[in-house]
Amino acid sequence: MICRISVTPNSTRDASFSLAPPPSATLFSLPVRVFSSMEHRRAGGYIDNYGSIVFASSGDGLLLLKATWHRFSAHASLDSPRPREVLAKDLVEEEHVSYVCNPVTGQLVRLPPSWGTKHLTTATGLLTQADRGRGPPKRYAAAELIEAKDVGHFVLCRFRSETGEWDVKERLSPLPPGRVMRMWNHEVLAFAGRLWWVDVSWGAVSADPFKDEPQLGHVKLPEGSELPDQDANEGLELTKHRRMGVSDGRLLYVEVSEEEPFQIKSFMLDGESGPWALQHQVSLDTLWPNGGDGTKERPLVVAIDPLNTDLLYLNMGSEEIVSVDLRGNRVIDAYSVLSSDIPTGCRLANIFLPCVLPSFLGSSLIPGELTVAHFRSVTLPACILVSLFDIKL
């Protein structure tokens, strides 16, 4: 389970991952050489900051991530929380570089700038294909779904390793007329040979980025879970307590009720288009033998276990992450967030990404043309800031 935000570069040549079994968080860092490509002319009156974010997992271990550089005016106070709109006003210049990464070997392959957009956003996913469907991936595709200005259309911006280029496809939206797709803070899922973009108030839109003419499919949330269109604040709060995920080759959806006693519901999708079947319903106060101490706050849904459909990870009041066996109605293990190296301001955010690491990753290369630039070393300033304009805390 990878902490998606990194605030410390390393001095090695490759990406570094401190692999740990869940519910412990795996922390990562990018090498200093990655940020050297972002070295800009030093200027007085400004503060330069660097950070990196993991966007998505391909389903077989490869990751899509982004390195960021921001230049703020010198009066920007970056050591204390500030409203995003204030930080945006202080922002003078920025640059973003995207990579495909093998977290076992640390290999990085740089992607060219995306077509028509300044930089990739969290609505970008990664999908791989293997020969005969098994073994190391032979090709990959990164794809970003962008809602067109005229509601009712999507723009699918995709990169395929076999072509080495981005292209764009415009498609009709499968959402109800006038409905906007809210893809806040939810990773794009790789499932059943397609990428799935999730709106936790409505459902998911999917596409196969390898097809020459990909068509959009969709699936709604289980009956009773669909909500009216959300505004920004409502949507960001909702993503903390609802999640879709892939587990044991099935698509799962989990939600935590709004009122006490908090109810955890887990649904499994039948095939690729439904219907949903209720798999588990557990009251949070029954998970603790002491009668529910520590369950006064509504927990965050951290992740759905990718191998066990009964296993769920919850964030309890930003203090610990617990693994819960929904079938056995019990807490299995806990991980202290307070004693971790996770940035303090991120402990109540959805910043954990489940990732499966097949054994073949240790001896396989990322497919496609390997054109990673060789950057010279550069010493970075001590102040590191993650891009607050992609992942809303």
Side-chain angles (χ1 to χ4, degrees):
M1 194 162 62
I2 298 174
C3 179
R4 299 170 65 188
I5 295 175
S6 175
V7 296
T8 307
N10 66 61
S11 57
T12 68
R13 176 165 179 77
D14 302 310
S16 175
F17 289 78
S18 59
L19 299 178
S24 301
T26 288
L27 304 180
F28 83 100
S29 63
L30 293 185
V32 169
R33 68 179 181 87
V34 162
F35 298 100
S36 67
S37 67
M38 301 179 182
E39 187 177 21
H40 295 262
R41 179 179 59 85
R42 297 185 181 275
Y46 298 102
I47 300 174
D48 289 342
N49 293 275
Y50 300 80
S52 43
I53 306 169
V54 176
F55 278 170
S57 169
S58 67
D60 59 6
L62 296 186
L63 300 176
L64 179 67
L65 52 84
K66 180 176 72 174
T68 68
W69 165 80
H70 294 94
R71 172 165 287 176
F72 293 87
S73 55
H75 69 271
S77 176
L78 303 176
D79 296 328
S80 59
R82 307 191 73 198
R84 285 188 293 275
E85 59 270 17
V86 175
L87 282 176
K89 290 179 181 178
D90 291 332
L91 182 66
V92 176
E93 194 176 355
E94 61 182 335
E95 185 177 346
H96 309 262
V97 180
S98 299
Y99 293 88
V100 174
C101 175
N102 181 331
V104 175
T105 65
Q107 181 195 3
L108 293 165
V109 171
R110 180 172 177 170
L111 298 182
S114 58
W115 185 95
T117 58
K118 187 173 183 180
H119 60 85
L120 298 180
T121 69
T122 48
T124 310
L126 183 68
L127 188 67
T128 58
Q129 280 187 349
D131 286 347
R132 295 181 295 279
R134 301 188 65 180
K138 297 299 183 182
R139 61 197 65 83
Y140 67 84
E144 179 179 17
L145 193 65
I146 305 168
E147 199 145 29
K149 291 183 179 180
D150 57 326
V151 176
H153 287 80
F154 282 115
V155 174
L156 183 67
C157 181
R158 62 177 180 173
F159 174 89
R160 292 181 289 181
S161 58
E162 291 180 307
T163 66
E165 298 177 346
W166 290 90
D167 64 16
V168 171
K169 300 291 182 180
E170 185 174 335
R171 293 292 182 263
L172 289 174
S173 170
L175 275 71
R179 177 101 190 199
V180 177
M181 185 80 172
R182 308 292 188 182
M183 297 174 279
W184 288 302
N185 284 17
H186 199 298
E187 70 272 16
V188 181
L189 304 174
F191 169 66
R194 301 172 71 86
L195 290 176
W196 298 70
W197 291 265
V198 179
D199 178 341
V200 293
S201 70
W202 178 81
V205 172
S206 68
D208 181 351
F210 290 108
K211 288 189 175 181
D212 291 335
E213 296 296 332
Q215 301 301 314
L216 297 184
H218 73 282
V219 61
K220 290 186 177 182
L221 293 179
E223 185 176 356
S225 295
E226 185 179 347
L227 298 174
D229 203 354
Q230 307 286 292
D231 64 27
N233 291 331
E234 292 172 331
L236 290 173
E237 183 64 24
L238 198 63
T239 58
K240 296 179 180 180
H241 310 288
R242 293 182 167 201
R243 215 76 192 162
M244 271 194 198
V246 179
S247 181
D248 193 25
R250 308 293 292 272
L251 193 65
L252 269 64
Y253 167 72
V254 172
E255 65 181 27
V256 179
S257 63
E258 294 185 21
E259 299 178 354
E260 294 187 63
F262 299 117
Q263 297 289 316
I264 305 170
K265 291 184 179 181
S266 172
F267 299 84
M268 181 180 291
L269 188 69
D270 184 9
E272 298 177 31
S273 58
W276 292 94
L278 179 64
Q279 186 185 26
H280 301 293
Q281 182 169 347
V282 175
S283 179
L284 192 66
D285 59 10
T286 66
L287 293 172
W288 277 262
N290 58 13
D293 288 350
T295 64
K296 300 301 182 183
E297 295 185 35
R298 188 183 181 193
L300 278 67
V301 180
V302 173
I304 296 169
D305 191 275
L307 300 177
N308 186 342
T309 60
D310 299 327
L311 199 56
L312 181 67
Y313 302 98
L314 301 174
N315 185 334
M316 307 300 297
S318 77
E319 294 185 358
E320 63 179 4
I321 298 172
V322 297
S323 53
V324 176
D325 177 1
L326 296 177
R327 183 175 298 277
N329 199 17
R330 63 193 180 98
V331 174
I332 298 176
D333 202 356
Y335 167 71
S336 173
V337 178
L338 298 179
S339 61
S340 72
D341 291 327
I342 298 171
T344 303
C346 300
R347 292 174 183 173
L348 271 176
N350 287 348
I351 59 166
F352 299 95
L353 181 72
C355 181
V356 176
L357 304 177
S359 57
F360 56 68
L361 283 182
S363 58
S364 62
L365 295 175
I366 297 173
E369 185 178 1
L370 306 184
T371 57
V372 181
H374 295 277
F375 302 123
R376 61 186 177 85
S377 297
V378 59
T379 301
L380 295 178
C383 184
I384 304 292
L385 179 72
V386 73
S387 172
L388 298 179
F389 310 106
D390 281 329
I391 293 184
K392 309 298 190 299
L393 304 183

